[in-house]
Amino acid sequence: MDFVTIFLLLIPVIALYVRTPTALVSTGEAALNLGLVVVITLLFLGIATAFLHAYIFRRTRHAAARDGEVSLRLGRAGQFFVYGLAGLYFAQVHYLLLKESFEAIFFPSEWFMVSDLLLLQPFLVPFVLFRAWISKLGMRVRGLEVSYRSELVRQLRTTSLLLAPQLLYLNVYRSIVQDIPGLDDIFTEHPLLGFVVAGTLLFTLFVFSPYFIRLLFTRVELRHHAAGPELLPMLDSLARRSRITLDRVYVWLTRERRIANAAVSGLFRQQRAVFLTDHLLSSLTPPEVVAVVAHELGHTRFLHLLFNFLLAIMSGIFVIWGMLLLDSFIHSQEDVGVAIVLLEAVYITVVFGLFARRFERQADLYAAHAVGSAQLVCAALLKLATANGVSVKRSTLTHPSIHARVKRLAALSRKYQGDFTRPVAKAIGANAGIALGLIGLFVYTMMELGDLPL
């Protein structure tokens, strides 16, 4: 599952949690509303699947060009579908009164995660069904045959593990506010306290996120893998040169899915783990694998994981100032809900996306610095695209295209004559300046929070 859909899973959760006017719904009205939700969701799924199937496979006549173009269109189709489904779900929550209708027929929504998961089904069911279909098509384009059932099981497992921390975080916060007498009034009078509690819970979630991530992977330690004896000395040398502890390196067993990828997790050194897929190890030479690991270490050297926590906190600040700018357009509680969800969507897809792509370029830069060769990093990136059967021109919310990354690295190598010490130092300084600016904006907003017309 690509990171676009991971972050966009936040949108239906936000839509569900944004307060809407309480409405008294009769049993008959509730049954009609829920029936409309089911019918509209199924219609959307059917129409979207037919439309996107035509979009994915049109104008792909030549076999050589078809695979790359189809792969590119598959990624875009997945994004389009999630955008549309998130918008539909928001309408179901706010205008078809999904929550109130559910409560009128079944049980109160104060049953927290149980009711949350049930209320999210109009989004999650088509989401999982469509993602499994897209994934199966992607495998078929690469000449790999997998069953729809196996893809469906994989999507269910992945979505559950990614959604659980979000729901846990929101439910714990809601329980603190609602179950401790008088605390809701205190938070209303002193909103800074609410930010402190929410930030503390969010930080806790970030700290424990590596353990959720590890549940996604069937893995073995690299030292127990066939590639371990050759790679481990090279990775130890890289870690010493980079002065970064690299104690936990795992091989993610993708088996017949043949995914070439790598990832790093853990805010702190004691938690840090690097994951390399088995297909990556079989598709790249050992020096190229070292270059990929150096890219992941670049994320830790530039403190990107900690920066992501700061960006998560800043989403609330973005919404606060966005609501102030949109104040003249907000006339009802429904407008408030629409504004909050739209602002969060803009923040995730635009602001976070810009930072995420910046981080990838910086990690490429650090990899070239750590291995002493931009050419080696470029070769590894191009081989990753080939191994995954994706177009080098494909970009996502979090990653620039391979073509753009290779072109940029080559330009920097020429500019600095292969010595990346200076651009790495400049990137560290620029990140520090941006972080200080964001922290300053956060502190200013907190100081003015009581006087803002929210």
Side-chain angles (χ1 to χ4, degrees), residues 243-294:
R243 290 176 294 180
I244 296 175
T245 302
L246 192 59
D247 295 331
R248 300 174 187 84
V249 182
Y250 297 102
V251 179
W252 171 18
L253 304 178
T254 64
R255 298 188 176 94
E256 74 279 357
R257 291 185 53 77
R258 290 167 55 187
I259 298 172
N261 205 353
V264 63
S265 67
L267 280 180
F268 305 110
R269 180 178 61 82
Q270 296 82 358
Q271 297 177 299
R272 186 175 303 133
V274 172
F275 297 90
L276 305 169
T277 67
D278 47 4
H279 189 46
L280 180 145
L281 295 178
S282 64
S283 301
L284 276 63
T285 65
E288 289 166 346
V289 173
V290 173
V292 171
V293 175

Coordinates of all heavy atoms in Angstrom, one line a residue, residues 243-294:
R243 N 28.4 7.3 11.4 CA 28.3 7.5 12.8 C 26.8 7.3 13.2 O 26.3 8.1 14.0 CB 28.9 8.8 13.3 CG 30.4 8.9 13.2 CD 30.9 10.2 13.5 NE 30.5 11.2 12.5 CZ 30.9 12.5 12.6 NH1 31.6 12.9 13.6 NH2 30.5 13.4 11.7
I244 N 26.2 6.3 12.7 CA 24.8 6.0 13.0 C 24.7 4.5 13.4 O 25.2 3.7 12.7 CB 23.9 6.2 11.8 CG1 23.9 7.7 11.4 CG2 22.4 5.8 12.1 CD1 23.1 8.1 10.1
T245 N 24.1 4.3 14.5 CA 24.0 2.9 15.0 C 23.0 2.1 14.1 O 21.9 2.6 13.7 CB 23.4 2.9 16.4 OG1 24.3 3.6 17.3 CG2 23.3 1.4 16.9
L246 N 23.5 0.9 13.7 CA 22.6 0.1 12.8 C 22.7 -1.3 13.3 O 23.3 -2.2 12.7 CB 23.2 0.2 11.3 CG 22.4 -0.3 10.2 CD1 21.0 0.4 10.1 CD2 23.1 -0.2 8.9
D247 N 21.9 -1.5 14.4 CA 21.9 -2.8 15.0 C 20.8 -3.8 14.5 O 21.0 -5.0 14.5 CB 21.7 -2.7 16.5 CG 22.8 -1.9 17.2 OD1 24.0 -2.0 16.7 OD2 22.6 -1.3 18.2
R248 N 19.7 -3.2 14.0 CA 18.6 -4.0 13.6 C 18.4 -3.9 12.1 O 17.9 -2.8 11.6 CB 17.4 -3.7 14.3 CG 17.5 -3.8 15.9 CD 16.3 -3.3 16.6 NE 16.5 -3.3 18.0 CZ 17.1 -2.4 18.7 NH1 17.5 -1.3 18.1 NH2 17.2 -2.4 20.0
V249 N 18.7 -4.9 11.3 CA 18.4 -4.9 9.9 C 17.7 -6.1 9.6 O 18.1 -7.2 9.9 CB 19.7 -4.8 9.0 CG1 19.4 -4.8 7.5 CG2 20.6 -3.6 9.4
Y250 N 16.5 -6.0 9.0 CA 15.6 -7.1 8.8 C 15.4 -7.3 7.3 O 15.4 -6.3 6.5 CB 14.2 -6.9 9.4 CG 14.3 -6.8 10.9 CD1 14.2 -5.6 11.6 CD2 14.4 -8.0 11.7 CE1 14.3 -5.5 13.0 CE2 14.4 -7.9 13.1 CZ 14.4 -6.7 13.7 OH 14.4 -6.6 15.1
V251 N 15.1 -8.5 6.9 CA 14.7 -8.8 5.5 C 13.2 -9.0 5.5 O 12.7 -9.9 6.2 CB 15.4 -10.0 4.9 CG1 15.0 -10.3 3.5 CG2 16.9 -9.8 5.0
W252 N 12.5 -8.2 4.7 CA 11.0 -8.4 4.6 C 10.8 -9.4 3.5 O 11.2 -9.2 2.3 CB 10.5 -7.0 4.3 CG 9.0 -7.0 3.9 CD1 8.1 -8.0 4.1 CD2 8.3 -5.9 3.2 NE1 6.9 -7.6 3.6 CE2 7.0 -6.4 3.1 CE3 8.7 -4.7 2.7 CZ2 6.0 -5.6 2.4 CZ3 7.7 -3.9 2.1 CH2 6.4 -4.3 1.9
L253 N 10.1 -10.5 3.8 CA 9.9 -11.6 2.9 C 8.6 -11.3 2.1 O 7.5 -11.5 2.6 CB 9.8 -12.9 3.7 CG 11.0 -13.2 4.6 CD1 10.7 -14.5 5.3 CD2 12.3 -13.3 3.7
T254 N 8.8 -10.8 0.9 CA 7.6 -10.5 0.0 C 7.3 -11.7 -0.9 O 6.2 -11.7 -1.5 CB 7.9 -9.3 -0.9 OG1 9.0 -9.6 -1.8 CG2 8.2 -8.1 0.0
R255 N 8.2 -12.6 -1.0 CA 8.1 -13.9 -1.7 C 7.5 -13.6 -3.1 O 8.1 -12.9 -3.9 CB 7.2 -14.8 -0.9 CG 7.8 -15.2 0.4 CD 7.0 -16.3 1.1 NE 7.7 -16.7 2.3 CZ 7.4 -16.2 3.5 NH1 6.4 -15.3 3.7 NH2 8.0 -16.6 4.6
E256 N 6.3 -14.2 -3.5 CA 5.8 -14.2 -4.8 C 5.4 -12.8 -5.3 O 5.3 -12.5 -6.4 CB 4.7 -15.1 -5.0 CG 3.3 -14.7 -4.4 CD 3.3 -15.0 -2.9 OE1 4.3 -15.6 -2.4 OE2 2.3 -14.7 -2.3
R257 N 5.2 -11.8 -4.3 CA 4.8 -10.5 -4.7 C 6.0 -9.7 -5.3 O 5.8 -8.7 -6.0 CB 4.3 -9.7 -3.4 CG 3.0 -10.3 -3.0 CD 2.4 -9.5 -1.8 NE 2.4 -8.1 -2.2 CZ 1.4 -7.5 -3.0 NH1 0.5 -8.3 -3.5 NH2 1.5 -6.2 -3.3
R258 N 7.2 -10.1 -4.9 CA 8.4 -9.5 -5.5 C 8.4 -8.0 -5.5 O 8.4 -7.3 -6.5 CB 8.6 -10.0 -6.9 CG 8.9 -11.5 -7.0 CD 8.8 -12.1 -8.4 NE 9.6 -11.3 -9.4 CZ 9.5 -11.5 -10.7 NH1 8.7 -12.5 -11.1 NH2 10.3 -10.8 -11.5
I259 N 8.4 -7.4 -4.3 CA 8.5 -6.0 -4.1 C 9.9 -5.6 -3.7 O 10.5 -6.2 -2.8 CB 7.5 -5.6 -2.9 CG1 6.1 -5.9 -3.3 CG2 7.7 -4.1 -2.6 CD1 5.1 -5.7 -2.2
A260 N 10.5 -4.6 -4.4 CA 11.8 -4.1 -4.1 C 11.7 -2.8 -3.3 O 11.3 -1.8 -3.9 CB 12.6 -4.0 -5.3
N261 N 11.9 -2.8 -2.1 CA 11.7 -1.6 -1.3 C 12.6 -1.6 0.0 O 13.1 -2.7 0.3 CB 10.2 -1.4 -0.9 CG 9.8 0.0 -0.6 OD1 10.7 0.9 -0.6 ND2 8.5 0.2 -0.4
A262 N 12.7 -0.5 0.7 CA 13.4 -0.4 1.9 C 12.7 0.6 2.8 O 12.0 1.5 2.3 CB 14.8 0.0 1.7
A263 N 12.9 0.5 4.1 CA 12.2 1.5 5.0 C 13.0 1.6 6.3 O 13.8 0.6 6.6 CB 10.8 1.1 5.3
V264 N 12.9 2.7 7.0 CA 13.5 2.8 8.3 C 12.4 3.3 9.3 O 11.5 4.0 8.9 CB 14.6 3.9 8.3 CG1 14.1 5.2 7.9 CG2 15.4 3.9 9.6
S265 N 12.5 2.8 10.5 CA 11.5 3.2 11.5 C 12.2 3.4 12.9 O 13.3 2.9 13.1 CB 10.4 2.1 11.7 OG 11.0 0.9 12.3
G266 N 11.5 4.1 13.8 CA 12.1 4.4 15.1 C 12.6 5.8 15.3 O 13.5 6.2 14.6
L267 N 11.9 6.5 16.2 CA 12.4 7.9 16.5 C 13.7 7.9 17.2 O 14.5 8.9 17.0 CB 11.3 8.6 17.4 CG 10.1 9.2 16.8 CD1 9.2 9.8 17.9 CD2 10.4 10.2 15.7
F268 N 14.0 6.9 18.0 CA 15.2 6.9 18.8 C 16.1 5.8 18.4 O 15.7 4.8 17.8 CB 14.8 6.8 20.3 CG 13.9 7.8 20.8 CD1 12.6 7.5 21.1 CD2 14.3 9.1 20.9 CE1 11.7 8.4 21.6 CE2 13.4 10.1 21.3 CZ 12.1 9.7 21.7
R269 N 17.4 5.9 18.7 CA 18.4 5.0 18.3 C 18.1 3.6 18.8 O 18.3 2.6 18.1 CB 19.8 5.4 18.9 CG 20.9 4.5 18.5 CD 22.3 5.0 19.1 NE 22.2 5.1 20.5 CZ 22.5 4.1 21.3 NH1 22.7 2.9 20.8 NH2 22.4 4.2 22.7
Q270 N 17.6 3.5 20.0 CA 17.3 2.1 20.6 C 16.2 1.4 19.8 O 16.1 0.2 19.9 CB 16.9 2.2 22.1 CG 18.0 2.8 23.0 CD 18.1 4.3 22.9 OE1 17.4 5.0 22.2 NE2 19.0 4.8 23.7
Q271 N 15.3 2.2 19.1 CA 14.2 1.6 18.4 C 14.5 1.4 16.9 O 13.8 0.7 16.2 CB 13.0 2.5 18.4 CG 12.4 2.7 19.8 CD 11.2 3.7 19.7 OE1 11.4 4.8 19.2 NE2 10.1 3.2 20.0
R272 N 15.6 2.0 16.4 CA 15.8 2.1 14.9 C 15.9 0.7 14.3 O 16.6 -0.2 14.8 CB 17.1 2.9 14.7 CG 17.3 3.2 13.2 CD 18.5 4.1 13.0 NE 18.3 5.4 13.8 CZ 19.2 5.9 14.5 NH1 20.4 5.3 14.7 NH2 18.9 7.0 15.2
A273 N 15.2 0.6 13.2 CA 15.3 -0.7 12.4 C 15.2 -0.3 11.0 O 14.5 0.6 10.6 CB 14.2 -1.6 12.8
V274 N 16.0 -1.0 10.2 CA 15.9 -0.9 8.7 C 15.4 -2.2 8.1 O 15.8 -3.3 8.5 CB 17.3 -0.6 8.1 CG1 17.3 -0.6 6.6 CG2 17.8 0.8 8.6
F275 N 14.5 -2.0 7.2 CA 13.9 -3.2 6.5 C 14.3 -3.2 5.0 O 14.2 -2.1 4.3 CB 12.3 -3.1 6.6 CG 11.8 -3.2 8.0 CD1 11.6 -2.0 8.7 CD2 11.5 -4.4 8.6 CE1 11.2 -2.1 10.0 CE2 11.0 -4.5 9.9 CZ 10.8 -3.3 10.6
L276 N 14.7 -4.3 4.5 CA 15.0 -4.5 3.1 C 14.2 -5.7 2.6 O 14.2 -6.7 3.3 CB 16.5 -4.8 3.0 CG 17.5 -3.8 3.6 CD1 18.9 -4.3 3.5 CD2 17.4 -2.5 2.8
T277 N 13.6 -5.5 1.5 CA 12.8 -6.7 1.0 C 13.7 -7.7 0.3 O 14.8 -7.4 -0.2 CB 11.7 -6.2 0.0 OG1 12.4 -5.7 -1.2 CG2 10.9 -5.1 0.6
D278 N 13.2 -8.9 0.3 CA 14.0 -10.0 -0.4 C 14.2 -9.7 -1.8 O 15.3 -10.0 -2.4 CB 13.3 -11.4 -0.1 CG 11.8 -11.3 -0.5 OD1 11.3 -10.3 -0.9 OD2 11.1 -12.3 -0.2
H279 N 13.2 -9.1 -2.5 CA 13.3 -8.9 -3.9 C 14.4 -7.8 -4.2 O 15.0 -7.8 -5.2 CB 12.0 -8.5 -4.5 CG 11.9 -8.4 -6.0 ND1 12.5 -9.3 -6.8 CD2 11.4 -7.4 -6.8 CE1 12.3 -9.0 -8.1 NE2 11.7 -7.8 -8.1
L280 N 14.5 -6.8 -3.3 CA 15.5 -5.8 -3.4 C 16.9 -6.4 -3.4 O 17.8 -6.1 -4.2 CB 15.3 -4.7 -2.3 CG 16.4 -3.6 -2.3 CD1 15.7 -2.3 -1.8 CD2 17.5 -3.9 -1.4
L281 N 17.1 -7.4 -2.4 CA 18.4 -8.0 -2.3 C 18.7 -8.8 -3.5 O 19.9 -8.9 -3.8 CB 18.4 -8.9 -1.0 CG 18.2 -8.2 0.3 CD1 18.2 -9.2 1.5 CD2 19.3 -7.2 0.5
S282 N 17.7 -9.4 -4.1 CA 18.0 -10.2 -5.3 C 18.1 -9.4 -6.6 O 18.6 -9.9 -7.6 CB 16.9 -11.3 -5.5 OG 15.7 -10.7 -5.7
S283 N 17.7 -8.2 -6.6 CA 17.6 -7.3 -7.8 C 18.8 -6.4 -7.9 O 19.1 -5.9 -9.0 CB 16.3 -6.5 -7.9 OG 15.2 -7.4 -7.8
L284 N 19.4 -6.0 -6.8 CA 20.5 -5.1 -6.8 C 21.8 -5.7 -6.4 O 21.8 -6.7 -5.6 CB 20.2 -3.9 -5.8 CG 19.3 -2.8 -6.3 CD1 17.9 -3.2 -6.7 CD2 19.2 -1.7 -5.2
T285 N 22.9 -5.1 -6.8 CA 24.2 -5.6 -6.4 C 24.4 -5.2 -4.9 O 23.8 -4.2 -4.4 CB 25.3 -5.0 -7.2 OG1 25.3 -3.6 -7.1 CG2 25.1 -5.3 -8.7
P286 N 25.3 -5.8 -4.2 CA 25.6 -5.4 -2.8 C 25.9 -3.9 -2.6 O 25.4 -3.3 -1.7 CB 26.7 -6.3 -2.4 CG 26.5 -7.6 -3.2 CD 26.0 -7.1 -4.5
P287 N 26.8 -3.3 -3.5 CA 27.0 -1.9 -3.3 C 25.8 -1.0 -3.5 O 25.6 0.0 -2.8 CB 28.1 -1.6 -4.4 CG 28.8 -2.9 -4.6 CD 27.7 -3.9 -4.5
E288 N 24.9 -1.5 -4.4 CA 23.7 -0.8 -4.6 C 22.7 -0.9 -3.4 O 22.0 0.1 -3.1 CB 23.0 -1.2 -5.9 CG 23.7 -0.8 -7.2 CD 23.3 -1.6 -8.4 OE1 22.6 -2.6 -8.3 OE2 23.6 -1.2 -9.5
V289 N 22.7 -2.1 -2.8 CA 21.9 -2.2 -1.6 C 22.4 -1.3 -0.5 O 21.7 -0.7 0.3 CB 22.0 -3.7 -1.1 CG1 21.3 -3.9 0.2 CG2 21.3 -4.6 -2.1
V290 N 23.8 -1.2 -0.4 CA 24.4 -0.3 0.6 C 23.9 1.1 0.3 O 23.6 1.9 1.2 CB 25.9 -0.4 0.6 CG1 26.5 0.7 1.5 CG2 26.3 -1.8 1.1
A291 N 23.8 1.5 -1.0 CA 23.4 2.9 -1.3 C 21.9 3.1 -0.9 O 21.5 4.2 -0.4 CB 23.5 3.1 -2.8
V292 N 21.1 2.0 -1.0 CA 19.7 2.1 -0.6 C 19.6 2.3 0.9 O 18.8 3.1 1.5 CB 18.9 0.9 -1.0 CG1 17.5 0.9 -0.4 CG2 18.8 0.9 -2.6
V293 N 20.4 1.5 1.7 CA 20.5 1.6 3.1 C 20.9 3.0 3.5 O 20.4 3.6 4.5 CB 21.3 0.5 3.8 CG1 21.5 0.8 5.3 CG2 20.7 -0.8 3.5
A294 N 21.9 3.6 2.8 CA 22.4 4.9 3.1 C 21.3 5.9 2.9 O 21.3 6.9 3.7 CB 23.6 5.2 2.2

